[in-house]
Amino acid sequence: MSKHYVLAAGGTGGHMVPAAALAEELTRRGHRVALVSDERGVRFPGLFAEGPGGIQTHVLPAGRFEAKRPAGWPGAVREMLRGRAMARELYATFKPAAVIGFGGYPAMPALLAAFANKIPTAVHEQNAVLGRVNRLVAGRVAAIATSYKTTERLAAKHRDKVHLVGNPVRDAVLALRTRPYPLLEEDGIFRVLVTGGSQGASVLSQVVPDGLAMLPVTFRRRLQVTHQARIEDIDAVRAKYAEHQIPADLATYLPDMPEQLAWAHLVIARAGASTIAELTAAGRPAILVPLPSATDDHQTANAREITKAGGARCIPQPEFTAVELAKQMQKLGLDPAALENAASRAKSVGRPHAVRDLADLVESLDAPVSRLPVGKPVHKAAYA
């Protein structure tokens, strides 16, 4: 039976990518989907297509509560309530069977409206630390879908509604799982992908070119780099690579990320939720530099599982220097067998059925008789 679902998400890539993956899966199953986000989210490049059979998109106002600016809280409350009223108007015509939140303040008005209208709800947490909005609504939603076996800041009283599903990735990334790790010969091209996530990372731009320049000349001459950089950094980064005579393609955004992952032998990246999900889905070894200012230090928590499995090396940003990068690169890159083993270990902690399991959970929300067993995964095979 075709149903209607509302997905509510903040506007960053970490929220939007899993929301888009779920939207595609629900649409494939014959359902209709509406996305609620902010201006950034509904315009996120390459994720959502409107039109017949496509995804409806809606921008709702949502106040942001900043701890350092309490004077702005009354205005944030007014915006949140205005967004809730607009969401209730949407529900009067769209009539969703359930509303799913993916975190971020733009998700809050849609969830508040669902609570008011007694519409079944769930949230999905992409990170290894339960986010602020998901913590605020955890007691009122029917289910909490998580991406890691251990999720910090998750109250014990809510654990009976937790379902480990993983973090959905795009189909094009998931397809890499069946492809072998790219052949790496001892004297062949060594391809490095550098990405700071959807917004880039200045520290990678500052350190990586100089770190690669410190590699032994026989290794350095084999490098082929693709580097995603902030627009304000890109000219300086391009000049550094040219100075060091390292072939490098520079871009502020990589729309073909699945293709970039397909040929990468090593990824140097932040430890955002989507990055970790894609590395473990595709099976790519990495050097991770968690963002130290991330809320609740969630990127460090995100990196633990893949690092413990042996699929990545994690370097705290204060220790991320050109010398340290060159050292870790040599440990990984000079032994093709070790690098391929790291790729396999990264893949071992991937959850390739995340979008299927999440869609199954979502479809169960408005059918109490067939509700999933409390706290049980939808498909045990997904976690083997």
Side-chain angles (χ1 to χ4, degrees), residues 132-194:
R132 289 176 181 174
V133 168
N134 285 348
R135 290 202 298 269
L136 286 171
V137 301
R140 300 184 68 180
V141 298
I144 301 170
T146 60
S147 301
Y148 296 87
K149 289 181 180 178
T150 301
T151 302
E152 300 174 15
R153 304 297 295 271
L154 179 62
K157 63 183 178 181
H158 300 320
R159 287 177 182 163
D160 62 348
K161 63 175 76 173
V162 172
H163 301 265
L164 174 61
V165 300
N167 193 10
V169 298
R170 291 166 284 184
D171 287 344
V173 174
L174 196 57
L176 300 179
R177 195 170 181 84
T178 60
R179 294 171 56 175
Y181 180 73
L183 180 65
L184 179 60
E185 299 176 341
E186 290 189 6
D187 59 350
I189 294 175
F190 189 98
R191 299 183 179 89
V192 179
L193 172 62
V194 185

Side-chain angles (χ1 to χ4, degrees), residues 57 189 203 277 323:
T57 57
I189 294 175
V203 68
V323 172

Side-chain angles (χ1 to χ4, degrees), residues 3-6 88-99 119:
K3 298 179 182 179
H4 294 182
Y5 293 101
V6 169
R88 295 189 75 178
E89 291 179 9
L90 169 64
Y91 299 165
T93 55
F94 191 68
K95 300 187 183 306
V99 176
I119 299 169

Side-chain angles (χ1 to χ4, degrees), residues 167 169-170 173-178 275-284 346-347 349-352:
N167 193 10
V169 298
R170 291 166 284 184
V173 174
L174 196 57
L176 300 179
R177 195 170 181 84
T178 60
T275 297
I276 300 295
E278 291 179 345
L279 290 171
T280 57
R284 290 297 181 269
K347 187 183 289 187
V349 292
R351 296 184 171 87

Side-chain angles (χ1 to χ4, degrees), residues 73-275:
W73 292 358
V77 170
R78 287 193 294 272
E79 285 295 281
M80 197 72 71
L81 293 177
R82 190 162 71 93
R84 185 186 72 161
M86 292 172 64
R88 295 189 75 178
E89 291 179 9
L90 169 64
Y91 299 165
T93 55
F94 191 68
K95 300 187 183 306
V99 176
I100 317 303
F102 285 83
Y105 283 106
M108 182 66 93
L111 290 168
L112 292 176
F115 299 151
N117 285 19
K118 295 182 169 41
I119 299 169
T121 55
V123 293
H124 178 269
E125 179 55 59
Q126 302 86 49
N127 294 298
V129 181
L130 199 66
R132 289 176 181 174
V133 168
N134 285 348
R135 290 202 298 269
L136 286 171
V137 301
R140 300 184 68 180
V141 298
I144 301 170
T146 60
S147 301
Y148 296 87
K149 289 181 180 178
T150 301
T151 302
E152 300 174 15
R153 304 297 295 271
L154 179 62
K157 63 183 178 181
H158 300 320
R159 287 177 182 163
D160 62 348
K161 63 175 76 173
V162 172
H163 301 265
L164 174 61
V165 300
N167 193 10
V169 298
R170 291 166 284 184
D171 287 344
V173 174
L174 196 57
L176 300 179
R177 195 170 181 84
T178 60
R179 294 171 56 175
Y181 180 73
L183 180 65
L184 179 60
E185 299 176 341
E186 290 189 6
D187 59 350
I189 294 175
F190 189 98
R191 299 183 179 89
V192 179
L193 172 62
V194 185
T195 173
S198 61
Q199 299 179 38
S202 289
V203 68
L204 300 184
S205 296
Q206 294 161 6
V207 173
V208 172
D210 291 339
L212 298 184
M214 300 178 82
L215 294 171
V217 65
T218 53
F219 188 5
R220 189 170 71 245
R221 286 175 177 169
R222 297 168 52 205
L223 296 176
Q224 174 63 57
V225 179
T226 295
H227 189 131
Q228 179 220 358
R230 291 175 180 266
I231 190 168
E232 61 267 29
D233 298 332
I234 197 165
D235 289 338
V237 179
R238 184 177 286 112
K240 276 192 173 185
Y241 280 119
E243 176 188 344
H244 298 316
Q245 297 183 320
I246 297 173
D249 294 322
L250 279 293
T252 57
Y253 177 69
L254 298 174
D256 58 343
M257 181 60 77
E259 183 180 339
Q260 299 292 345
L261 276 174
W263 60 250
H265 293 110
L266 178 69
V267 179
I268 303 173
R270 286 297 197 192
S274 289
T275 297

